[in-house]
Amino acid sequence: EAASGGKKRKLDVTYPAISQDCAWDDKVPDWRSGLHSDWRLLLGPRTFDVHRVSLGYGERSSAFLRAAFQTQIGPGEKSETDLSNLLPESAWP
């Protein structure tokens, strides 16, 4: 039941299509697309577009990356972390 004590009701809303929506019809992004990524990890020649909230928070988060994500980024600076000098090449994918 709803907080007001009444019964729950289903609400169906139809939104009109707009031209920007049509451009994405054939390109469904997945987690690998980097579409909404907000940080980059560099590892040698490879770049990984990541989501800070996925890697820096939660029970499987990285304390190292969380600290990196909390640094202040100045104008013109890139929001990225270069792991190339921190990980041995044998650990690279």
Side-chain angles (χ1 to χ4, degrees), residues 17-18 23 26 28 30 38 43-44 50 65-66 68 72 85 89-91:
I18 57 176
D26 61 338
V28 178
D30 66 4
D38 54 1
L43 189 56
V50 300
L65 290 176
R66 185 182 318 117
Q72 295 295 322
N85 293 323
E89 282 191 48
S90 59

Side-chain angles (χ1 to χ4, degrees), residues 51-81:
H51 303 278
R52 291 183 296 172
V53 71
S54 297
L55 298 177
Y57 303 95
E59 71 180 53
R60 297 183 66 185
S61 66
S62 163
F64 173 81
L65 290 176
R66 185 182 318 117
F69 298 156
Q70 293 174 350
T71 60
Q72 295 295 322
I73 303 298
E77 291 184 283
K78 295 180 181 178
S79 47
E80 64 186 24
T81 300

Side-chain angles (χ1 to χ4, degrees), residues 2-4 13-14 21-22 25 29 41-42 52 60 64 74:
S4 64
V13 179
T14 303
D21 291 339
C22 298
D25 284 346
L41 296 177
L42 308 175
R52 291 183 296 172
R60 297 183 66 185
F64 173 81

